[in-house]
Amino acid sequence: MTLNQNLKAYNTFAINAHCDKLLPIYSEIDVYKALVKENAPFRILGGGSNILISQDIKATVLHNQIKGISIIDEDADTLLVSVGAGEKWHQLVMWSISHGLGGLENLSWIPGNVGAAPMQNIGAYGVEQCQSFHSLKAIDLVEGTSRRFFKEECGFGYRESVFKGAEKGRYIIVEVNYILTKKPVVNTSYGAIQQRLEAKGIHQPTVQDVSDVVIEIRKEKLPDPALIPNAGSFFKNPIVAKAAYLNIAAEHREVPHYELENELIKIPAAWLIDQAGYKGAQRGAAGTHKNHALVLVNNGGATGAELLGLADEIVDVVDSKFGISLEKEVNIW
Ligand code: FAD
Ligand code: NAP
């Protein structure tokens, strides 16, 4: 345990802020010990790739490092794996691919830990983790009891779950179980995946091929947090009623959009921010990335409050220009 720990190395925005205590958690027993010995409040930290620390943290930060990947059940078509919440997400994806298993390949190269994946139901390239999710085990930090959540109890939605919503901060997820398929059917319909595969002469892609292409595209498009500190997409892509979309389209015929169920339309937040004049914007050391307006960046020494100020400014400007209220995807600490 470290007192007054600087968290700069523990968040991908590289924000220089402190917490009262940083406590590594290697097992479920460590959680129970912390509940007995340490003073609340608690915060839960994984890889720090989806938080913006806006002030010093007056709490004991439980740093989840529970490891292990084990097969707990199997039938002719599927494998049920149990994964320690402190495993790196990408390592799990690589493990599944090395075993020829399908389900997670489109989610390659997402930073962070397995325990945080259900938290916002991570998604990319047309796939969400809930599609392979079976259940998770969590410890209730208020009651000190353990509970298993099955899929239907998790409230998974678009970058959403009960752990990010109504129950935020209450449970520490210690283990997640995924069902992986032995007969993968790959999903190459999203974005440039199909085109890339064809350019490589791959007509019947394996999960390894899809993963390789996803990693290639991501490395080209997204800033590496080790070089330009960031937390990925800062805002969710807004989903609006058709009428709201038509209002925008009347003035901007080129507005990119994706039709969802129930006459709802998803509009990329990056386009709205770009149109509002904020692609590559800078406020001191806080900014948006020059190629990807949805990614807020720390150009060196920005405080969390400065980044939050820029985010709020973007919300206001986009709202007054388009009448759409952007919702933050990143968790504000
Ligand atoms: P942290 O940042 O440590 O925590 C995030 C939140 O989850 C916090 O509120 C924390 O308290 C809570 N939490 C963490 N662990 C637990 C636990 N064990 N139990 C309960 N609560 C917990 N996200 C996507 O969905 N899709 C993407 O494609 C994607 N790409 C990204 C690309 C880049 C370059 C970056 C920097 C981020 C990207 N993200 C993406 C966001 C981020 O990687 C994911 O949300 C990831 O799951 C966060 O994991 P973490 O361990 O770093 O979480
Ligand atoms: P992109 O492929 O340029 O697409 C831009 C936007 O269009 C995204 O909002 C995406 O929605 C949407 N979109 C594209 N094709 C779509 C389709 N066929 N159906 C429905 N919506 C579609 O996006 P990108 O920024 O390069 O990111 C690629 C993928 O990685 C996306 O899925 C994105 O969510 C994910 N990603 C997430 C983060 C994060 O921090 N959350 C960071 C980087 C990348 P969706 O976002 O809903 O897919």
Side-chain angles (χ1 to χ4, degrees):
M1 184 220 307
T2 320
L3 296 179
N4 196 28
Q5 170 73 49
N6 189 310
L7 292 171
K8 189 172 177 187
Y10 294 87
N11 72 99
T12 62
F13 258 130
I15 300 298
N16 198 357
H18 289 74
C19 67
D20 288 350
K21 284 184 185 176
L22 183 72
L23 190 61
I25 297 293
Y26 298 106
S27 68
E28 287 175 43
I29 303 287
D30 285 350
V31 179
Y32 293 116
K33 280 187 190 162
L35 291 181
V36 173
K37 287 190 186 163
E38 307 298 331
N39 292 327
F42 296 101
R43 288 285 176 112
I44 307 154
L45 180 67
S49 64
N50 206 17
I51 55 171
L52 173 62
I53 307 176
S54 65
Q55 56 193 315
D56 284 337
I57 303 302
K58 300 283 161 219
T60 301
V61 175
L62 306 177
H63 189 205
N64 196 324
Q65 295 179 49
I66 302 174
K67 302 285 187 197
I69 302 181
S70 51
I71 298 167
I72 54 172
D73 203 359
E74 184 170 4
D75 64 21
D77 298 328
T78 61
L79 211 68
L80 181 62
V81 290
S82 173
V83 192
E87 285 288 344
K88 294 254 172 289
W89 174 263
H90 183 66
Q91 291 308 316
L92 169 63
V93 178
M94 291 296 99
W95 180 91
S96 70
I97 287 168
S98 71
H99 287 74
L101 299 164
L104 306 182
E105 58 279 3
N106 291 40
L107 303 175
S108 298
W109 208 245
I110 298 181
N113 292 358
V114 167
M119 164 81 181
Q120 77 154 7
N121 187 25
I122 57 169
Y125 298 94
V127 172
E128 292 177 335
Q129 69 86 45
C130 65
Q131 291 165 248
S132 300
F133 179 92
H134 175 271
S135 63
L136 63 77
K137 189 175 179 187
I139 296 171
D140 184 333
L141 296 175
V142 179
E143 301 289 339
T145 50
S146 138
R147 179 175 164 189
R148 182 156 294 277
F149 286 80
F150 290 92
K151 193 171 176 173
E152 53 285 0
E153 297 169 288
C154 293
F156 290 131
Y158 177 64
R159 308 288 190 265
E160 198 50 83
S161 75
V162 291
F163 308 103
K164 198 169 182 178
E167 303 292 5
K168 188 163 189 167
R170 175 156 186 172
Y171 292 96
I172 176 167
I173 296 166
V174 291
E175 167 200 303
V176 191
N177 293 356
Y178 287 101
I179 303 179
L180 304 172
T181 173
K182 293 179 179 176
K183 297 170 184 165
V185 178
V186 294
N187 173 355
T188 61
S189 62
Y190 187 104
I193 296 181
Q194 184 66 33
Q195 198 186 325
R196 288 277 174 127
L197 288 165
E198 276 167 16
K200 289 173 189 285
I202 300 170
H203 303 297
Q204 287 184 316
T206 62
V207 286
Q208 179 77 61
D209 294 327
V210 173
S211 170
D212 288 348
V213 163
V214 166
I215 293 172
E216 199 177 287
I217 300 171
R218 291 184 71 105
K219 283 186 173 173
E220 282 170 21
K221 280 189 90 168
L222 294 167
D224 177 354
L227 305 175
I228 307 175
N230 74 85
S233 306
F234 198 88
F235 302 100
K236 294 182 186 181
N237 292 305
I239 293 172
V240 301
K242 195 162 190 174
Y245 156 73
L246 289 173
N247 259 340
I248 297 173
E251 220 180 302
H252 304 269
R253 288 184 59 190
E254 76 288 4
V255 55
H257 61 285
Y258 299 91
E259 294 195 16
L260 311 178
E261 290 167 352
N262 303 324
E263 299 244 303
L264 293 172
I265 311 271
K266 178 168 65 181
I267 301 179
W271 183 86
L272 296 166
I273 298 169
D274 189 0
Q275 290 297 308
Y278 278 79
K279 191 189 223 172
Q282 292 210 22
R283 297 287 179 273
T288 60
H289 192 255
K290 62 181 179 0
N291 300 329
H292 207 317
L294 190 49
V295 180
L296 267 64
V297 292
N298 177 357
N299 288 313
T303 63
E306 282 169 335
L307 278 153
L308 194 54
L310 174 59
D312 288 338
E313 185 181 327
I314 289 172
V315 171
D316 286 347
V317 174
V318 167
D319 196 2
S320 59
K321 190 169 168 64
F322 294 108
I324 291 180
S325 181
L326 291 179
E327 194 186 330
K328 296 181 185 85
E329 178 180 306
V330 170
N331 301 278
I332 310 300
W333 276 26

